[in-house]
Amino acid sequence: MMSSEAPSGDRPKHSRKTILITVIVAIVVLGLVAGGAWCYLGWRHQQDAAADEKAYADAHRIYDVNLKITADGLDTSEGSKIPVQVSGTDFEGNKVEKIYYVASDGSGISLMCGRYDLSIAASPISADGMIFNSNDVAVHATVGKNGTFDVEGSFTLSPIEADQVSAAQINEAYLAAKEGGAASEKDAATLRDAATRRREDAIRKKRADADAEAKRVAEERAASVHFSTSRFSFDIPDYWKDRVTVSIDEDCAHVFSKKYPEREIMAIVVSDGGNLKSGSQMIEPPAVDIGGGRYAQVQATDWAIKIAEANISHSKRADDFFSLDEANELTDLQTGGGVGYISVLRALNTSDGNPDSKLLSRLSAFISDTVPRTIKSN
């Protein structure tokens, strides 16, 4: 009988082949497992790296922040932007020192999380040349997570009166505009020129207004102290302004105390013969030639002498009764405030009978030195 078993000589060969296949399969499986693990580790590393990058990017995100700025008359779309100095530290403690150029709506600043101080570095320039004053107060600000922006305070820029703007302020504003506040250096120069013209025009106007006011005051003063008769004109002293009334009677003038209207402070009369003499209690400076053989003569009752002598003599005449206020007023007007009535009374009422002639000579000096020289022929 024939056996169904293979010859014994073939068995080792078959076993070796089976082992080889098994080894190869094992290697392939191990390779696949190792490759899968490697791919997974690589993928996981990429994911972790991406997460780290995102976390870093989120932490270092720069946020656009808006300031509250009030600047009446400024439109940064036509003028220059507002230079804002930002100083402080970001969330990592890095120092920040930079100037941002901010629009009218407060935009233009970008910051990371941190704490900052903000101030106006220089004035912007409006399209028509206005220069501004800041409130000179630093604003404290905090940029938090998710871009929260907390500001302690706000900025108010007010226009400076054009005639009060200095050339240095204009130049400082121009440099800020040139360095980033304006679209170009040419635009910055145009704004500078507008500010310069505005300043110069305002200064010229202020001077013109001052000259016009000075002229008006001079004319008003002249009208209040200058008077004319039919033959001559004259000026009363400024010291009398608003304290006397002037009456013109053809070719004569009479000046009365406004406080005591019945008391004549001075008169100017016209004569043909030069100086007139009227008595010891009169002030009579030399007459003024007004032409045609006519002379204008200043005459005045010396009220200080008249009242003091009536007081010393204990006069009972009704015309010699004066109040002390009346005596002071009349003496003050006639001497331009140079001598007081009580001084005149004491000078005359001396125990030795020798009055102070030097003081008494001053009584007529004010009128004599001021009025005659203003008399002019018409």
Side-chain angles (χ1 to χ4, degrees):
M1 294 179 61
M2 296 292 292
S3 174
S4 60
E5 293 181 1
S8 60
D10 294 334
R11 287 179 181 174
K13 184 175 182 181
H14 179 73
S15 297
R16 284 194 301 271
K17 184 176 181 182
T18 299
I19 292 171
L20 179 60
I21 291 172
T22 301
V23 170
I24 292 172
V25 169
I27 291 173
V28 170
V29 170
L30 288 174
L32 290 173
V33 171
W38 177 261
C39 289
Y40 172 77
L41 291 175
W43 172 82
R44 185 55 183 258
H45 177 73
Q46 289 177 345
Q47 292 296 104
D48 291 344
D52 290 343
E53 289 179 3
K54 184 178 185 304
Y56 182 88
D58 288 343
H60 291 77
R61 183 177 175 182
I62 297 176
Y63 297 97
D64 293 332
V65 297
N66 277 67
L67 283 179
K68 183 178 180 182
I69 297 180
T70 302
D72 292 340
L74 176 66
D75 180 354
T76 55
S77 65
E78 296 179 350
S80 66
K81 292 184 178 180
I82 305 165
V84 175
Q85 175 73 48
V86 176
S87 304
T89 55
D90 62 22
F91 74 101
E92 290 183 325
N94 298 313
K95 185 176 180 180
V96 176
E97 196 77 32
K98 184 176 179 180
I99 291 180
Y100 291 86
Y101 295 90
V102 178
S104 299
D105 61 2
S107 63
I109 298 178
S110 300
L111 297 169
M112 282 197 299
C113 295
R115 290 189 57 82
Y116 307 95
D117 291 327
L118 294 80
S119 59
I120 305 298
S123 169
I125 309 175
S126 69
D128 58 354
M130 281 195 296
I131 298 295
F132 296 81
N133 247 331
S134 72
N135 55 13
D136 296 325
V137 176
V139 170
H140 304 289
T142 301
V143 180
K145 292 181 179 180
N146 301 319
T148 57
F149 187 53
D150 296 324
V151 181
E152 302 171 13
S154 60
F155 287 115
T156 298
L157 282 72
S158 55
I160 303 174
E161 291 294 333
D163 60 286
Q164 299 299 315
V165 174
S166 68
Q169 287 173 310
I170 293 176
N171 187 61
E172 183 181 54
Y174 159 67
L175 292 176
K178 185 176 72 170
E179 290 168 6
S184 67
E185 185 172 341
K186 181 179 179 181
D187 290 339
T190 298
L191 292 171
R192 176 199 60 197
D193 294 344
T196 301
R197 282 194 305 273
R198 185 184 181 89
R199 172 178 180 267
E200 291 174 348
D201 290 346
I203 290 174
R204 278 194 294 270
K205 184 179 184 303
K206 186 175 182 179
R207 288 173 179 168
D209 290 346
D211 291 343
E213 177 63 13
K215 183 179 179 181
R216 185 193 67 77
V217 170
E219 290 174 348
E220 184 180 85
R221 175 199 166 278
S224 66
V225 300
H226 186 76
F227 300 89
S228 294
T229 70
S230 60
R231 292 185 178 275
F232 63 89
S233 64
F234 69 99
D235 292 344
I236 62 171
D238 283 341
Y239 194 73
W240 292 358
K241 186 178 177 182
D242 299 325
R243 295 178 63 189
V244 300
T245 58
V246 178
S247 174
I248 304 298
D249 181 14
E250 294 185 357
D251 58 356
C252 295
H254 303 271
V255 180
F256 297 89
S257 165
K258 184 175 287 188
K259 191 172 185 179
Y260 297 98
E262 71 279 10
R263 305 303 181 186
E264 186 178 78
I265 302 303
M266 177 196 77
I268 305 176
V269 300
V270 174
S271 68
D272 295 327
N275 293 337
L276 303 174
K277 294 296 181 181
S278 302
S280 61
Q281 294 177 342
M282 296 295 295
I283 299 171
E284 295 178 313
V288 178
D289 186 351
I290 57 175
R294 309 285 284 177
Y295 293 83
Q297 172 79 62
V298 175
Q299 295 182 327
T301 297
D302 194 331
W303 289 111
I305 296 292
K306 180 178 177 62
I307 299 171
E309 288 182 346
N311 187 304
I312 293 169
S313 67
H314 304 290
S315 173
K316 302 299 183 181
R317 296 177 64 248
D319 289 346
D320 289 339
F321 289 128
F322 299 86
S323 69
L324 180 58
D325 183 74
E326 188 174 7
N328 285 332
E329 177 70 4
L330 299 178
T331 303
D332 185 71
L333 286 171
Q334 289 191 324
T335 64
V339 179
Y341 167 71
I342 297 301
S343 297
V344 177
L345 180 62
R346 289 172 179 168
L348 291 176
N349 193 23
T350 58
S351 59
D352 60 5
N354 295 314
D356 185 348
S357 59
K358 187 175 182 181
L359 181 144
L360 297 180
S361 67
R362 292 165 56 192
L363 297 179
S364 63
F366 179 68
I367 291 178
S368 299
D369 292 346
T370 57
V371 178
R373 62 186 175 83
T374 70
I375 297 175
K376 301 289 188 296
S377 174
N378 286 343

